[in-house]
Amino acid sequence: SYKKPKLIPKGANVEVQKAFIADYEALMNEAAIEGDPVLFGDAVHPSQQTRPSYGWIKKGQDKEIETTGARKRVNLMGALNLEDMSFFYQDFETINSQSTLKFFKKLEEAYPNVRKIHWILDNAGYFTSDEVRKYLETSRIKVHYLPPRCPNLNPIERLWKIMHEYVSNNKVYGKFKDFKAALFEFFDTTLANITEILVNRITDNFHLINPAK
C-alpha cells in the first residue's frame, strides 16, 4: 500500500525497554502494597499557532483554516496518575531546574499522607540536574527515569495528544490569552468530563519501539 513511514526515535533499545517494563511492574506491585501513588510526568510546550489535522470534509471540497504568525507558547509541567486519572499541572515562564523543584513541592502538597510519591520521568536536563538530585535526597518523591528516547513508555504523551485534539487541532486563536484560557479550561474542566476517553486511550499497555529497518 502507498503510505508514509512512521517516525520513531533513533537508537531506542528493545531490551532496555523490556527491562523498564519489568521494573515498572515490580514498582506497581510495591506501590499497591504500600499505598503509594505512581505518577507519569513530563513538560509540554503547546503553541498558539494553528495545527492542521485530519478531519471529515465533503468529497471534492477543501477546507481552509486561517493561520496566524503567533508563536507564543505555554510552558507546562504535569503529572498523571493512571489509577484514577488525576492530573496535576503548573505553568511556568520557563521550564528549568527551579520550576522542577517548585513542581516537586506541589506534588508533595497534593499527597501529604503517603510514604513515597513515585514519579516516572524522561531524562531531560531539568529533571536530572545536580540541584534536582540534591533535593530528591531528602524528598518523599522517588524519581524513576525512563530509558533514553522512549516516549512510548510515558502514557502522559497520550494525554498531550488528546489535549491537542480538544484545544489546538484545526483551531485558530487570534489572541494568546484566548489560547491560554482554552488550554486551562481543558485541564481544569474538560478532563473531568471525558474520563471514559482517558481510561480507554491512556494506559500502561506499553508498545515497544523496534529499530527501524
Side-chain angles (χ1 to χ4, degrees), residues 111-125:
Y111 294 98
N113 301 316
V114 299
R115 182 181 64 98
K116 287 184 180 179
I117 303 167
H118 297 282
W119 202 20
I120 301 174
L121 301 168
D122 63 25
N123 292 270

Side-chain angles (χ1 to χ4, degrees), residues 42-70:
D42 191 22
V44 67
H45 313 278
S47 172
Q48 180 187 352
Q49 67 188 100
T50 305
R51 288 171 55 97
S53 180
Y54 286 98
W56 292 106
I57 301 172
K58 287 185 177 181
K59 188 175 182 179
Q61 297 185 12
D62 290 324
K63 174 67 177 180
E64 290 81 22
I65 299 177
E66 292 182 348
T67 61
T68 68

Side-chain angles (χ1 to χ4, degrees), residues 1-2 4 7 16 20-21 29 39 45 51 57 70 78 81 96 103 108 113 131 156-157 161-162 166 172 189 194 203:
S1 60
Y2 184 75
K4 63 182 179 181
L7 297 177
V16 171
F20 169 83
I21 293 173
N29 289 333
L39 312 174
H45 313 278
R51 288 171 55 97
I57 301 172
N81 187 331
N96 54 26
F103 196 73
E108 289 169 331
N113 301 316
E131 188 175 359
I156 202 172
E157 296 284 354
K161 183 177 181 179
I162 295 172
Y166 278 79
V172 181
T189 303
I194 61 170
T203 72

Side-chain angles (χ1 to χ4, degrees), residues 135-176:
Y135 180 87
L136 291 172
E137 291 176 359
T138 57
S139 172
R140 289 183 297 122
I141 296 175
K142 169 68 174 176
V143 169
H144 307 267
Y145 291 107
L146 291 161
R149 299 175 293 280
C150 290
N152 55 305
L153 300 179
N154 195 348
I156 202 172
E157 296 284 354
R158 303 178 195 179
L159 176 60
W160 302 151
K161 183 177 181 179
I162 295 172
M163 170 197 73
H164 284 304
E165 290 173 3
Y166 278 79
V167 178
S168 305
N169 291 357
N170 299 329
K171 302 285 181 65
V172 181
Y173 297 95
K175 296 181 179 179
F176 180 65

